[in-house]
Structure formats: structure tokens, C-alpha cells
Amino acid sequence: MFLRIASIAVAIGAGTAQAANEPEFALTLHDHKFMPTEIRVPANVKVRLVVDNQDATPEEFDSHALNREKVIPGKAKATIYIGPLAPGRYPFMGEFNAATAQGAVVAQALPSRLKARIPPPGGAAMRRSRERGGIMQARR
């Protein structure tokens, strides 16, 4: 029983470590407009998009292409995870102000020399687990 609880705790810790490895991109909403209007992200990599709504009113980040919808209260920030995305252009909008709040995420393939800088999925805890034969073991 103790080993089962310990292995669950280790697995949860590994998920937290993995979340810290994702590249982060900032997006600001001001005067019902997204800035920048286009964000370039690496293709085939899960990324974290942090949206800062500087307006006093809420806005809904909406993208059918990214399969994401999130209401962001006024004067608040929200984190939206996207990807891994195939190379291409993925439009998004602010649904409450669709005429002005428009933008796109552009996923681009990375040159070979930059791919080595992106950490592998799973973080250090998962790498250690793979080194031990694929089973995460609790420390005694």
C-alpha cells in the first residue's frame, strides 16, 4: 500500500516537472486587441501561452483551429497549453470583441541546431525512470 501511494506521489511530481519544461509565450490583450497579433512557436512541441488581459472587461480566447476556449477575466492572466502543433497557421480571436481581437499562432519547424535546446518531454524524473527500466520506483 505504501509503495502504491509513494509511486503515485512520484508520478504527480514528474507531471509538475514536465510542465516546467514547456516553452512559454506571452500574449497581451489591450484595448480589445491581441499583441502581438502573430506568435511564432516551434512545431511539434507543447507550449504554454500566457494571456494577460489588461482590459477591465473579460474576453474569451477562442480558437477552433487550436481547439481551445477560455474566458479570461478583466485585469487577469490565464495559461493556455497548446500543441504539439504541426507546422502551419492557427487563427484565434477574442469572441467578445471579434471585430478587433484577432491573431494567429504560427508553428514553424525548428532548424536542427535549435532542436537540441528544447528539453525532451517528461523532464528529469521521467528520464531517471526510463534509466531504471521504465518503472518509477519510490525511494525508501
Side-chain angles (χ1 to χ4, degrees), residues 23 42-43 45 108-119:
V45 176
Q108 296 179 313
L110 288 176
S112 299
R113 69 185 196 293
L114 294 178
K115 287 182 183 177
R117 294 182 184 175
I118 296 178

Side-chain angles (χ1 to χ4, degrees), residues 20 23-24 64 85 91 122 132:
E24 183 175 292
H64 295 286
L85 301 172
R132 293 181 187 135

Side-chain angles (χ1 to χ4, degrees), residues 7 14 18 30 36 40 51 58 63 91 97-98 103 114-115 120 122 124 133:
S7 63
Q18 181 178 359
H30 183 71
R40 297 188 184 280
V51 184
S63 175
N97 297 282
L114 294 178
K115 287 182 183 177

Side-chain angles (χ1 to χ4, degrees), residues 36-90:
T37 57
E38 193 171 274
I39 294 183
R40 297 188 184 280
V41 301
N44 305 312
V45 176
K46 185 175 181 179
V47 299
R48 182 175 42 239
L49 186 62
V50 178
V51 184
D52 181 6
N53 182 1
Q54 296 179 350
D55 292 336
T57 58
E59 183 58 87
E60 181 176 5
F61 178 93
D62 188 16
S63 175
H64 295 286
L66 294 169
N67 194 26
R68 296 290 181 272
E69 284 187 29
K70 186 160 190 136
V71 175
I72 305 162
K75 304 291 184 187
K77 291 183 181 181
T79 300
I80 301 168
Y81 291 92
I82 57 174
L85 301 172
R89 189 170 198 280
Y90 300 85

